[in-house]
């Protein structure tokens, strides 16, 4: 269960992102993918980041579910403390990969969510409060806001479910600390070092991604949309 494929995908993501960014920065096509141009470089980079982050989150969820299943079986079977050593080592590797992912990807995830919320607010505001909007413009805004909504939910929902599984796994490993007896103090010490790490996905270490963040983001958009719409009508 070693997460080597996560590290491999991380390297693929970095190389692909650099190639897209080079095409945008140098105003030239990349040999590996001639379809990428300067005008679409940033959009392709953002789209590739969102898809990659969602895939990596699904891989982490599979790892945490596997750890939960294995650990529950061992706890129910009353095995010896030495038998938990392999699970503790695997959990440590998964937590390291999760922290590295959050460190490298959280800034871009923050800007992606911010851009999606800005576009979603603008599109909904124009469709709701502009009376002279044409039908073609309305459907173009509807498609634009739908893509922004889907992208934002893809980032936030996948990360929040991953954080929830990570928290459940951490709580279950906390129970394991009481099962390890004194002859295995080295294993217990290693486990406590793993549990002291913050294993969660964030938006640039500003917001911890959870379900409450999703609800509050939509509440913020709705509140400011009604406020600005009411002020516009009054003026």
């Amino acid at each position: 269960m070693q997460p080597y494929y996560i590290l491999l995908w991380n390297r693929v993501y970095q190389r692909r992102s650099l190639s897209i960014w080079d095409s945008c920065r140098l105003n030239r096509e990349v040999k590996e993918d001639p379809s990428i141009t300067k005008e679409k470089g940033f959009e392709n980079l953002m789209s590739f980041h969102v898809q990659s982050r969602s895939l990596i989150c699904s891989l982490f969820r599979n790892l945490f579910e596997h750890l939960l299943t294995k650990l529950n079986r061992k706890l129910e079977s009353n095995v010896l403390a030495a038998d938990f050593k392999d699970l503790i080592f695997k959990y440590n590797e998964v937590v390291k990969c999760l922290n590295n992912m959050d460190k490298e990807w959280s800034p871009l995830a923050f800007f992606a969510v911010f851009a999606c919320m800005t576009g979603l607010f603008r599109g909904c505001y124009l469709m709701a409060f502009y009376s002279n909007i044409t039908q073609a413009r309305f459907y173009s805004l509807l498609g634009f806001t739908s893509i922004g909504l889907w992208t934002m939910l893809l980032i936030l929902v996948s990360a929040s479910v991953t954080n929830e599984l990570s928290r459940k796994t951490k709580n279950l490993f906390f129970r394991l600390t009481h099962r390890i007896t004194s002859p295995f103090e080295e294993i217990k010490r290693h486990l406590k070092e793993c549990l002291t790490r913050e294993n969660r996905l964030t938006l640039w270490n500003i917001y911890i991604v959870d379900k409450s963040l999703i609800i509050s983001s939509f509440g913020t958009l709705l509140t400011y949309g009604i406020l600005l719409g009411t002020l516009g009508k009054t003026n």
Side-chain angles (χ1 to χ4, degrees):
M1 202 195 67
Q2 295 290 343
Y4 293 125
Y5 52 90
I6 295 180
L7 300 177
L8 178 62
W9 181 258
N10 191 20
R11 290 190 176 184
V12 173
Y13 168 80
Q14 291 175 352
R15 293 184 62 182
R16 178 64 173 170
S17 300
L18 288 175
S19 66
I20 295 174
W21 180 251
D22 285 340
S23 68
C24 180
R25 181 173 58 88
L26 300 177
N27 191 18
R28 61 176 176 83
E29 295 182 347
V30 181
K31 294 181 180 180
E32 289 80 1
D33 193 354
S35 64
I36 300 174
T37 59
K38 179 182 178 180
E39 290 77 12
K40 295 184 179 181
F42 182 76
E43 289 81 359
N44 288 333
L45 176 63
M46 190 66 67
S47 175
F48 183 72
H49 165 76
V50 172
Q51 296 174 17
S52 301
R53 185 181 176 89
S54 176
L55 175 61
I56 294 295
C57 285
S58 66
L59 295 178
F60 274 114
R61 289 195 295 271
N62 291 334
L63 289 172
F64 284 126
E65 288 174 355
H66 181 78
L67 283 171
L68 284 172
T69 303
K70 288 286 186 179
L71 189 57
N72 279 320
R73 289 177 182 175
K74 288 184 179 293
L75 289 174
E76 292 174 358
S77 58
N78 294 323
V79 296
L80 297 176
D83 297 329
F84 294 106
K85 184 178 180 180
D86 186 51
L87 279 180
I88 294 172
F89 174 76
K90 292 175 180 178
Y91 176 71
N92 185 33
E93 292 295 320
V94 173
V95 169
K96 285 182 180 179
C97 291
L98 187 68
N99 290 335
N100 290 334
M101 173 185 170
D102 184 67
K103 182 180 178 180
E104 296 179 4
W105 292 15
S106 60
L108 191 55
F110 173 80
F111 287 115
V113 172
F114 180 77
C116 290
M117 290 185 65
T118 304
L120 187 62
F121 177 82
R122 178 178 179 273
C124 292
Y125 182 84
L126 292 176
M127 288 187 294
F129 297 105
Y130 271 59
S131 57
N132 56 350
I133 190 173
T134 62
Q135 186 176 5
R137 179 65 172 169
F138 176 83
Y139 284 114
S140 64
L141 287 173
L142 181 62
F144 176 77
T145 53
S146 299
I147 294 174
L149 176 63
W150 176 82
T151 304
M152 187 177 71
L153 288 177
L154 186 62
I155 297 174
L156 296 181
V157 172
S158 61
S160 64
V161 176
T162 304
N163 282 340
E164 185 176 353
L165 277 174
S166 174
R167 185 171 59 253
K168 289 181 180 179
T169 308
K170 187 175 182 178
N171 293 335
L172 194 59
F173 271 98
F174 265 120
R175 290 176 51 190
L176 184 59
T177 57
H178 303 288
R179 295 284 300 273
I180 300 177
T181 56
S182 56
F184 304 97
E185 286 296 331
E186 184 66 23
I187 300 176
K188 188 173 184 179
R189 183 186 62 82
H190 186 65
L191 177 59
K192 288 183 177 180
E193 290 179 357
C194 297
L195 295 176
T196 54
R197 296 194 183 100
E198 292 290 343
N199 49 342
R200 61 194 182 186
L201 296 176
T202 63
L203 297 178
W204 210 357
N205 290 324
I206 300 176
Y207 299 104
I208 300 174
V209 183
D210 53 12
K211 294 179 181 179
S212 62
L213 178 63
I214 302 175
I215 297 175
S216 62
S217 62
F218 283 108
T220 302
L221 291 176
L222 182 62
T223 302
Y224 282 99
I226 295 175
L227 179 62
L228 292 179
T230 304
L231 290 176
K233 283 187 177 182
T234 304
N235 292 332

